[in-house]
Amino acid sequence: MIFKKSVSATLRAKKNKKYKKLKVRNHLTLIFKKKTMAKINFGGVDENVVTREEFPLSKAQEVMKNETIAVIGYGVQGPGQALNLKDNGFHVIIGQRQNSKSWDKAVADGWVPGETLFPIEEALEKGTVIQYLLSDAGQIALWPTVKKSLSPGKVLYFSHGFGITYKEQTGIIPPPDVDVVLIAPKGSGTSLRRMFLEGRGLNSSYAIFQDATGKAWERVVALGIGVGSGYLFETTFRKEVYSDLTGERGTLMGAIQGLFAAQYEVLRANGHSPSEAFNETVEELTQSLMPLVAENGMDWMYANCSTTAQRGALDWWKRFRDATLPVFSELYQEVAKGNESQRSIDSNSQPDYRVKLEEELKELRESELWRAGAAVRKLRPENQE
């Protein structure tokens, strides 16, 4: 309906000689861009998304055919995004420090030194799209070098809104004559690659912080399709980092570990064995229930469990919501104030960060909960010899 109305309005204007042909052409181009967006209802709220139906891979390849994508950093997101882009027919090179584990990993993945694998400074010069995929602390440290390479018209690409949103803390302020965009896959780089190889896609958010060329939208969407996104939904750099930091500290990692630990502790204190406590706390959730929730939703899960489990879940979920809501509210405010980002920068920039990190991970790894988990995982049928 919008398309027909806009075209008819343009044609009337043309007929009445109110617009020049150039203006008509520009208007139709704008309509075409809008046409590549789908409007989907999420829980009663309409949102704009881009799928591979509106923006197929062939169009993405056409948009990026003259671009060289330099992936800077081959750690968490770099391998999955780079390999997916390469397999999808884009021109990709890797920028990585020589004589490092990440350099060796890139070579093992098929990147060729001097052809598709270069020292960071050389890759920055060759690339027209700079995919800045170092850690947040790494981005801060390398930023003076990256900034020098950003000639007019290039694309500066992030997969996290951290550096731009907290620019007062990071010092990452791009020059005004480059496009600054974001594609944030909703999962790890490992998951992104694995799902790509399975013929599936990991959903991603996208954002435009700066459109210097007038082509930022088609460039960022093309890159989002290229890295293997299932679909793309709109956000901003600020909203992406606020939701991401909240999620990581909340249900995705921090809160769920806290729930695991609390329930396991209660079961053990009441005489349950480690294997029973782990199975009822972690194994059943991760191996049986969550895959079904992912496929069908929590309402389906509640409707398709035993009546005893159903009644208990319905009676208790709101109590857990009410108990944790103040903690989540406090967490979000800490993120919005920049306190969480500053803590991250201060901690991750310390020379002994890796040593202290290993101590914290050792505490988790050697806890009875996760030692029991290691034993349980070995007993899964697929892990039996």
Side-chain angles (χ1 to χ4, degrees):
M1 183 65 71
I2 294 173
F3 181 78
K4 290 181 179 179
K5 182 177 179 182
S6 299
V7 171
S8 61
T10 303
L11 293 176
R12 284 198 304 271
K14 182 180 178 184
K15 184 176 181 180
N16 295 333
K17 298 182 180 180
K18 289 182 180 178
Y19 295 101
K20 294 179 180 179
K21 289 183 179 179
L22 179 60
K23 230 170 190 179
V24 175
R25 189 179 302 116
N26 288 342
H27 186 62
L28 289 173
T29 301
L30 178 62
I31 293 168
F32 176 73
K33 285 185 178 180
K34 287 183 179 178
K35 190 67 175 176
T36 59
M37 303 279 282
K39 193 174 287 293
I40 306 295
N41 187 284
F42 291 91
V45 178
D46 287 338
E47 296 184 35
N48 290 324
V49 302
V50 182
T51 73
R52 296 180 228 186
E53 183 177 349
E54 292 87 31
F55 206 103
L57 178 60
S58 58
K59 179 171 176 58
Q61 292 168 334
E62 177 65 23
V63 168
M64 302 301 294
K65 65 181 180 181
N66 296 320
E67 307 277 11
T68 297
I69 302 168
V71 176
I72 308 302
Y74 207 74
V76 178
Q77 281 288 338
Q81 293 198 33
L83 290 167
N84 289 0
L85 283 163
K86 182 179 77 168
D87 289 350
N88 271 334
F90 296 81
H91 182 212
V92 185
I93 61 175
I94 306 297
Q96 184 57 50
R97 292 183 180 86
Q98 292 177 289
N99 302 316
S100 66
K101 290 182 180 179
S102 295
W103 178 280
D104 294 340
K105 175 174 171 51
V107 172
D109 285 346
W111 304 98
V112 180
E115 296 181 15
T116 55
L117 175 60
F118 301 92
I120 289 175
E121 292 79 3
E122 190 172 352
L124 286 169
E125 291 302 319
K126 292 178 178 293
T128 59
V129 177
I130 307 301
Q131 288 197 233
Y132 204 20
L133 301 182
L134 294 171
S135 67
D136 296 322
Q139 288 183 9
I140 295 170
L142 192 65
W143 176 243
T145 301
V146 173
K147 188 174 182 179
K148 286 189 296 185
S149 73
L150 294 175
S151 54
K154 283 192 175 186
V155 181
L156 179 60
Y157 168 115
F158 293 87
S159 282
H160 193 22
F162 191 101
I164 294 293
T165 300
Y166 300 115
K167 57 183 181 296
E168 294 82 5
Q169 297 171 348
T170 65
I172 297 178
I173 303 174
D177 51 8
V178 298
D179 292 343
V180 182
V181 303
L182 174 144
I183 293 292
K186 298 300 107 179
S188 69
T190 300
S191 298
L192 182 73
R193 180 61 176 166
R194 183 177 297 163
M195 293 176 74
F196 176 86
L197 292 175
E198 293 172 352
R200 302 159 63 201
L202 193 64
N203 302 330
S204 303
S205 60
Y206 77 94
I208 299 171
F209 179 76
Q210 194 166 277
D211 184 2
T213 65
K215 300 184 296 182
W217 186 86
E218 62 181 16
R219 286 167 124 180
V220 71
V221 171
L223 288 163
I225 297 298
V227 301
S229 302
Y231 74 86
L232 301 165
F233 61 94
E234 290 180 302
T235 188
T236 66
F237 274 67
R238 185 178 301 276
K239 288 180 179 178
E240 189 282 329
V241 73
Y242 282 13
S243 60
D244 191 67
L245 294 186
T246 299
E248 290 169 348
R249 287 147 180 79
T251 58
L252 302 179
M253 295 177 71
I256 198 167
Q257 165 60 19
L259 287 172
F260 286 162
Q263 179 169 305
Y264 183 89
E265 184 176 327
V266 167
L267 291 173
R268 289 289 289 125
N270 284 277
H272 298 269
S273 69
S275 61
E276 183 173 51
F278 186 86
N279 273 285
E280 293 295 344
T281 300
V282 180
E283 191 75 352
E284 185 174 352
L285 174 70
T286 58
Q287 299 303 298
S288 174
L289 302 185
M290 290 313 295
L292 294 173
V293 173
E295 291 175 11
N296 305 296
M298 188 63 80
D299 57 319
W300 183 93
M301 176 58 64
Y302 279 24
N304 288 274
C305 63
S306 71
T307 56
T308 303
Q310 184 182 75
R311 185 69 266 146
L314 288 168
D315 287 345
W316 278 87
W317 80 263
K318 291 181 181 178
R319 293 183 63 178
F320 281 107
R321 178 200 61 190
D322 294 343
T324 58
L325 187 59
V327 181
F328 279 102
S329 296
E330 179 186 357
L331 167 58
Y332 191 87
Q333 289 307 311
E334 287 293 290
V335 170
K337 291 175 183 175
N339 293 337
E340 281 298 306
S341 58
Q342 191 62 58
R343 269 194 286 273
S344 178
I345 292 169
D346 293 343
S347 174
N348 298 349
S349 300
Q350 296 299 315
D352 61 347
Y353 168 70
R354 291 288 176 185
V355 175
K356 291 181 177 177
L357 171 65
E358 178 53 33
E359 291 175 358
E360 293 179 285
L361 295 178
K362 183 180 179 181
E363 180 186 356
L364 274 179
R365 185 170 56 249
E366 295 188 356
S367 68
E368 186 187 272
L369 165 65
W370 290 109
R371 284 189 289 118
V376 169
R377 288 194 296 276
K378 288 179 182 178
L379 294 174
R380 292 175 187 165
E382 66 269 23
N383 295 331
Q384 297 291 305
E385 293 183 359

